[in-house]
Amino acid sequence: MVFLKSVRPAAAAIALITAGLPKDLDIKNSTSIQSVAKTLAAGTMAYYPGDKDKFVDLAPPYYWWECGAMFGAMLDYSHYVGDHSYDQVISTALSAQTGPDFDYMLPTHFGQEGNDDQAFWGFAVLTAAERNFPQPNPAIPSWLQMSENIFNSLAGRWNDTACGGGLLWQIFASNPNGLDYKNSVSNGGLFQIAARLARATGNQTYAAWANKVWDWTTGVGMMDAKYNVLDGASSRENCSKINPVSFSYSQGIYLYGAAVMANVTGDKIWVERTEGLVEAAKSFFSPFSNATNIMYEHACEQVYKCNTDMRSFKGYLSRFMFASTLYVPSIIPTVFGLLGASAQGAAKACTGGSDGTTCGQRWYYGGFDGMVGLGEEMCALETIQGLLVADAAPPFKGDEIKTVRTFSS
């Protein structure tokens, strides 16, 4: 195994960039984007009680899965902005949650861990692998090997007893809420991880699994003919009645998996699917005629019904829309048109608190709406920092993926 220093994208020297006020964001100026992202990253990490030496769970009401999602956002911050201030904290956290079998099945979280929870940690670990993110602990496997372990764990729970296949939402009988429900986020997680591993490793078994999950999702009706990703269905009814509610993060998860498959296969069908998913994602934008291209969570946001989890969902759609542009260039104008406007709306929403940088939830509000939390910080961070995606190195694959033991200075 080769050990070397991490390869990082060129960026303005972050030490020279001061944390900027979101209200001053200029989406056409990379230094401005970096400056605002630095402020929002600090706001996000203010919710994390751990440090570079010790992992600590997020305080209630935040579940374990959202901690994994948060570190996925922070991996993007490190990569897109070029600020490595949090790298050791990120690495410590990812290394501390591996579980005894290095597959992120952690006994201390069995009471709340579902297939979707494991998948979100998987997204972060696989991102670390694709970027040669430092992993200084020789006692645990590489990020890539642990990503494969996560895939094997998820795929091993593929359930053919009803609905012709698919993953259930939950894993353990001790958490029965969801043991009879097959949902899009869990199956989308398996789909995306399979697609990304197919690209990272060149192993066609992963590509075959990505095709299998896609075909099952569309076949059962969890994605409709117009590429809207719907929430799920009861296995007790053989998935005959699809719950038509849709959430932004499920749309984004399938989108990025499809874009990666377009890169893996070179097949125009995956380009068409990616474009279709982006078109369907427009349902999460423009809630009013005077809020064109502003993102919102249409299942809950306008009626003040978003729970703690849902308040973070928009960030994952932003994350995966930006990432998808690296593989399917035809979607770039649409994605940047939508997310550029949304970034501006998010910046206006991040003007609360005594420091004038605390983020609110509703980006179409025209200012700070008083609804605060980790989800609000993460959503704004991901939507703003992703504007730098084209300036960062694309994910590594094959022999480009190395194990890195040292951190960037």
Side-chain angles (χ1 to χ4, degrees):
M1 182 173 289
V2 178
F3 302 115
L4 74 169
K5 283 201 169 184
S6 180
V7 178
R8 296 297 183 187
I14 197 68
L16 302 179
I17 296 175
T18 57
L21 295 174
K23 70 179 183 65
D24 296 329
L25 175 68
D26 179 355
I27 64 170
K28 295 182 179 180
N29 184 298
S30 60
T31 301
S32 175
I33 295 167
Q34 288 175 308
S35 178
V36 172
K38 186 172 184 177
T39 296
L40 298 177
T44 296
M45 291 302 288
Y47 284 86
Y48 180 60
D51 56 33
K52 67 181 180 62
D53 298 313
K54 184 180 180 180
F55 172 83
V56 181
D57 280 313
L58 294 171
Y62 304 106
Y63 289 110
W64 180 71
W65 82 271
E66 194 164 346
C67 192
M70 181 190 74
F71 284 115
M74 293 305 298
L75 281 162
D76 277 358
Y77 173 73
S78 174
H79 189 65
Y80 293 155
V81 177
D83 179 4
H84 309 305
S85 302
Y86 302 101
D87 284 6
Q88 292 185 56
V89 180
I90 298 168
S91 185
T92 294
L94 295 183
S95 299
Q97 298 300 285
T98 63
D101 296 323
F102 303 107
D103 58 2
Y104 291 78
M105 291 292 291
L106 204 66
T108 54
H109 289 289
F110 279 177
Q112 61 176 267
E113 184 171 1
N115 284 307
D116 52 346
D117 304 70
Q118 186 185 25
F120 261 90
W121 280 91
F123 297 154
V125 175
L126 187 45
T127 296
E130 293 166 334
R131 293 179 182 162
N132 288 349
F133 191 77
Q135 197 275 72
N137 186 354
I140 64 174
S142 68
W143 300 131
L144 182 59
Q145 180 59 63
M146 290 192 289
S147 300
E148 294 187 272
N149 294 349
I150 291 168
F151 167 84
N152 289 332
S153 179
L154 288 166
R157 291 190 292 273
W158 187 259
N159 187 308
D160 291 311
T161 60
C163 309
L167 288 178
L168 290 164
W169 177 17
Q170 297 297 336
I171 299 171
F172 300 103
S174 59
N175 188 8
N177 179 27
L179 276 177
D180 62 352
Y181 193 71
K182 297 190 176 183
N183 64 350
S184 55
V185 64
S186 296
N187 287 281
L190 176 59
F191 166 67
Q192 187 190 117
I193 289 170
R196 291 167 65 181
L197 283 172
R199 182 181 182 276
T201 68
N203 186 336
Q204 290 305 301
T205 298
Y206 295 123
W209 263 98
N211 277 294
K212 177 179 180 175
V213 181
W214 177 275
D215 290 345
W216 178 83
T217 303
T218 56
V220 80
M222 217 167 282
M223 183 188 299
D224 68 20
K226 293 185 178 180
Y227 296 98
N228 295 292
V229 179
L230 310 177
D231 190 65
S234 172
S235 59
R236 288 183 296 179
E237 299 174 329
N238 203 36
C239 296
S240 60
K241 298 178 182 179
I242 299 294
N243 179 355
V245 174
S246 59
F247 293 102
S248 59
Y249 74 151
S250 299
Q251 193 76 29
I253 289 168
Y254 275 94
L255 167 63
Y256 188 41
V260 175
M261 286 298 288
N263 181 261
V264 169
T265 66
D267 191 334
K268 66 179 183 180
I269 187 61
W270 285 108
V271 173
E272 293 170 2
R273 289 168 174 173
T274 302
E275 293 170 342
L277 284 159
V278 169
E279 186 65 26
K282 289 180 179 179
S283 72
F284 297 100
F285 296 82
S286 306
F288 304 107
S289 59
N290 63 347
T292 302
N293 291 350
I294 302 296
M295 194 193 304
Y296 72 115
E297 196 65 47
H298 55 56
C300 61
E301 191 171 305
Q302 291 173 293
V303 292
Y304 302 94
K305 296 293 185 181
C306 295
N307 64 25
T308 299
D309 289 351
M310 296 171 189
R311 287 161 68 170
S312 72
F313 287 177
K314 291 184 295 186
Y316 316 130
L317 178 57
S318 293
R319 180 195 305 184
F320 294 131
M321 287 180 76
F322 281 125
S324 296
T325 63
L326 296 173
Y327 301 129
V328 182
S330 60
I331 67 173
I332 290 175
T334 299
V335 168
F336 276 82
L338 294 169
L339 295 183
S342 292
Q344 291 174 315
K348 292 177 182 178
C350 294
T351 53
S354 60
D355 57 1
T357 64
T358 299
C359 296
Q361 181 186 30
R362 294 170 296 157
W363 299 344
Y364 53 81
Y365 187 74
F368 177 64
D369 67 358
M371 303 181 71
V372 302
L374 174 60
E376 284 75 13
E377 298 294 327
M378 288 168 56
C379 287
L381 174 64
E382 299 224 54
T383 306
I384 290 170
Q385 69 188 9
L387 295 167
L388 300 169
V389 64
D391 298 325
F396 292 135
K397 64 178 180 178
D399 291 341
E400 295 171 332
I401 296 177
K402 313 292 183 183
T403 297
V404 176
R405 297 298 191 203
T406 57
F407 291 95
S408 299
S409 56

